[in-house]
Amino acid sequence: TGAVKAISRKFEEIGGIISKKSTVKSVQKVQNHFVIEMQDFNINSEIVINCAGLESTTIRKYLGLNDIESVYVKGNYLSTSQK
């Protein structure tokens, strides 16, 4: 949607990285930042936003966060032409 595109664009303008359809091989906490090893490149960041959908549990397990219960929720997305 237009809102998601606008937020994504703003996020990237301030230095954020959005990596779509990428394979994460590992995530490690190293001192005060994270090292995300991707299939083709690595990302170093102080903050990670995990938006991996059903694979988000795999990403959190890379960090050893195994004691968190997984709750799956089906989303419904609606759009309207009205303003």
Side-chain angles (χ1 to χ4, degrees), residues 3-48:
V4 172
K5 287 180 184 176
I7 292 168
S8 298
R9 187 172 45 255
K10 193 58 119 172
F11 180 70
E12 291 176 324
E13 284 175 6
I14 61 171
I17 298 171
I18 299 172
S19 182
K20 300 175 185 175
K21 298 182 182 180
S22 299
T23 301
V24 175
K25 295 173 76 175
S26 71
V27 181
Q28 298 175 13
K29 177 81 170 169
V30 179
Q31 296 177 1
N32 62 346
H33 69 281
F34 296 93
V35 177
I36 303 110
E37 181 184 0
M38 310 295 282
Q39 187 168 358
D40 300 324
F41 57 94
N42 290 348
I43 298 173
N44 294 299
S45 179
E46 292 179 19
I47 299 169
V48 175

Side-chain angles (χ1 to χ4, degrees), residues 62-73:
Y62 286 147
L63 293 168
L65 302 173
N66 299 315
D67 57 341
I68 300 172
E69 180 183 358
S70 298
V71 178
Y72 300 100
V73 179

